[in-house]
Amino acid sequence: MIPLVHDFGGETILVFGGGPVGARKARRFARETRTVVVSPDFADRDFGDAEQVRAAPVPEEVADWVARFEPALVVAATNDTDVNDAVVAAARDAGALVNRADRSGERDAGSVVVPATVDDGDVSVAITTGGASPALSKYLRERIEAELDGAGAMAELTAEIRADLKTSDMSPTERRDAVRAVARNPSVWKALRSGDANPRREAARVIRDTQRGEI
């Protein structure tokens, strides 16, 4: 399994199964793109902004559902192995990616694992155990959340600094070293997280010190 970041903008995600796992997957995908959940029962679970279609397709009907929505990714999250088998087969025939939620370990080509993620602005950290231990992924995600605080703001700040420095007389190496110094400086992080100081002013000080060889 090779981690990749995939843009599903304008695509459809089709989830078979309205249980706790299907609901969790639907919430995650519905934040980014159109997501449809097909299930005979939705209980009181939270599916986010996903569309809910009440139906209980048998294995022979699954391919028609996939053809109807033309999804980029299909999630097999029912409690029926035969239906999940049919979902995987239909997704492959349609050229769609497939996430099978009832199996871990070895996976077929074209399979995807939905990682646990931590987001802060444009910064995302994904954690996966290859589907072997969702509990461990959740634990690691909780540990990382505090560390990631302010990372989105840091990404914005360093992007602005990179753009500004490109118009300066600094060499590419000096620009790279300056941006790295800002990204690693505790005082800049503190300013971004607390609001007690001006992050841009702190960053300018760090860059001056870098040019002087003081960092």
Side-chain angles (χ1 to χ4, degrees):
M1 304 292 289
I2 300 175
L4 298 172
V5 178
H6 191 101
D7 183 358
F8 283 106
E11 302 285 1
T12 297
I13 308 297
L14 182 59
V15 180
F16 287 90
V21 175
R24 174 166 51 83
K25 306 267 187 178
R27 288 195 303 273
R28 178 65 183 89
F29 286 120
R31 298 202 302 264
E32 310 296 338
T33 192
R34 182 194 182 199
T35 302
V36 180
V37 184
V38 178
S39 175
D41 181 36
F42 295 96
D44 293 325
R45 298 183 182 94
D46 178 14
F47 291 84
D49 294 326
E51 302 171 32
Q52 300 173 27
V53 180
R54 194 174 296 277
V58 297
E60 294 75 19
E61 298 171 337
V62 168
D64 291 336
W65 284 90
V66 173
R68 173 181 171 184
F69 289 101
E70 298 182 340
L73 170 67
V74 185
V75 178
T78 78
N79 58 5
D80 187 318
T81 300
D82 291 337
V83 172
N84 288 340
D85 287 342
V87 169
V88 172
R92 298 207 186 290
D93 288 344
L97 297 171
V98 61
N99 170 236
R100 182 158 186 167
D102 64 344
R103 287 186 181 173
S104 60
E106 291 297 323
R107 296 176 181 274
D108 297 328
S111 295
V112 300
V113 172
V114 182
T117 57
V118 183
D119 301 306
D120 189 299
D122 290 334
V123 178
S124 296
V125 175
I127 305 147
T128 176
T129 60
S133 180
L136 177 58
S137 293
K138 181 179 179 180
Y139 169 70
L140 293 174
R141 182 196 68 201
E142 291 170 350
R143 292 195 60 179
I144 290 172
E145 281 177 338
E147 294 295 327
L148 207 63
D149 181 33
M154 178 63 85
E156 292 181 11
L157 176 63
T158 51
E160 293 172 1
I161 291 172
R162 285 183 63 201
D164 291 345
L165 293 182
K166 284 183 178 179
T167 64
S168 72
D169 58 0
M170 295 173 65
S171 69
T173 299
E174 290 173 329
R175 296 199 301 267
R176 181 198 63 204
D177 291 344
V179 174
R180 285 182 177 177
V182 170
R184 298 176 182 182
N185 189 271
S187 67
V188 179
W189 279 100
K190 182 178 179 180
L192 290 168
R193 289 169 170 164
S194 67
D196 293 338
N198 186 311
R200 191 59 189 257
R201 184 170 58 243
E202 288 296 311
R205 179 188 61 76
V206 171
I207 292 172
R208 288 196 301 272
D209 291 346
T210 302
Q211 290 179 297
R212 296 169 183 163
E214 297 177 10
I215 291 182

